[in-house]
Amino acid sequence: MKLKDSPAAKIGASIAVATGLYGVSFGALSVASGLSFWQTMVLSLLLFSGGSQFAFIGVVAAGGTGVAAMSASALLGIRNGVYGMQLNALLRPTGWRRFAAAHVTIDESTATATGQSDPGEQKRGFWVAGLGIFVLWNVMTAAGAVLGDALGDPKQWGLDGAAVAAFLGLLWPRIKAFQPAAIAVVCAVATLLAVPWVPPGVPILVAAVVAGLIGWFRSDRTPGHAPGHVGDGLEPDLEPYKHDVVARPRHAAAGTGHLVAGNEGEQP
């Protein structure tokens, strides 16, 4: 199938345009927060993760240390590592493509790929979305950084609070069930309580610790088959190795007529 005729490629291209244009806000916010044009471009070129980038400049704008900014950014970047494991099993890139795929593995490219059922469409959707966003995001970051230099005092335009608003905009669509929403509220309260007592950038680390503790005790009290996790909004979007299970040779269990792996009702 030609790329221009691919439904997944069309979806990826539309997502790339919509997301890439948003890079202008990051560029403007970054220079308004005190970073130079080139520092802003390095963040977009090398970090290339919207949530992590906004978290970094948010801590910097609040007067936090570089260590606090990097820690907050790294915490949000963990999700991309999870996406990477899923997509490595799904797309199986080889050679230099593994490094390129790792760099453009973000929310949008992952969603585009996993939303397709055809393996070829999965690859086309991933690469069009990932590379398209990378190019447009960096172009618009540069435009926003140049524009940001001309804006003057960020408080005059309300940009001092825009980084927080942008991050909430990225987070909100991902809270789809009661339990994640409850955890988010608890972490928000913990953050607000910590603000007067700790340096800028540390409250988000406090929230991460609280979320980790909730997950730890919740897992410890859940039975092995984990019925409480079903449908609570915390499941992974994709079972990365399900294709391997289908592809393996099917073997019947000894003394039975049923399959160990494969579709229910099939016979060996």
Side-chain angles (χ1 to χ4, degrees):
M1 180 185 293
K2 294 182 178 180
L3 197 62
K4 66 178 182 179
D5 298 324
S6 167
K10 293 177 181 178
I11 293 172
S14 64
I15 292 176
V17 172
T19 305
L21 291 176
Y22 190 55
V24 70
S25 63
F26 171 75
L29 289 170
S30 181
V31 296
S33 299
L35 274 67
S36 69
F37 172 85
W38 291 112
Q39 288 172 328
T40 298
M41 292 308 302
V42 166
L43 276 178
S44 275
L45 287 166
L46 300 183
L47 181 55
F48 186 53
S49 178
S52 296
Q53 290 177 229
F54 279 111
F56 186 94
I57 64 172
V59 173
V60 170
T65 65
V67 172
M70 288 188 292
S71 299
S73 178
L75 282 172
L76 294 173
I78 290 175
R79 73 189 192 283
N80 290 341
V82 177
Y83 295 159
M85 290 187 288
Q86 295 176 332
L87 290 172
N88 185 58
L90 187 70
L91 305 179
R92 301 187 183 282
T94 58
W96 63 268
R97 291 181 181 83
R98 297 189 66 183
F99 298 97
H103 196 58
V104 297
T105 295
I106 54 176
D107 296 332
E108 293 80 7
S109 60
T110 300
T112 305
T114 57
Q116 314 304 316
S117 56
D118 178 71
E121 284 290 88
Q122 290 169 347
K123 293 180 180 179
R124 285 187 282 269
F126 172 81
W127 287 111
V128 170
L131 294 176
I133 292 172
F134 180 79
V135 172
L136 286 174
W137 180 268
N138 281 281
V139 169
M140 298 311 295
T141 293
V146 173
L147 176 64
D149 278 331
L151 290 176
D153 184 5
K155 293 182 179 180
Q156 178 182 353
W157 306 96
L159 291 179
D160 53 323
V164 177
F167 175 70
L168 288 176
L170 292 168
L171 173 66
W172 189 259
R174 290 162 176 76
I175 302 177
K176 301 177 181 179
F178 173 76
Q179 291 192 40
I183 293 172
V185 169
V186 172
C187 291
V189 172
T191 301
L192 291 174
L193 293 176
V195 167
W197 306 102
V198 297
V202 175
I204 191 173
L205 303 181
V206 172
V209 171
V210 170
L213 289 174
I214 292 174
W216 175 269
F217 287 109
R218 182 171 176 271
S219 175
D220 186 58
R221 297 173 60 181
T222 303
H225 56 287
H229 288 267
V230 178
D232 67 358
L234 298 178
E235 305 90 343
D237 295 329
L238 170 71
E239 173 54 52
Y241 296 103
K242 66 180 180 181
H243 298 292
D244 289 349
V245 174
V246 174
R248 291 193 195 106
R250 297 184 179 97
H251 300 287
T256 70
H258 298 83
L259 297 177
V260 174
N263 296 328
E264 291 182 5
E266 292 185 1
Q267 297 298 323

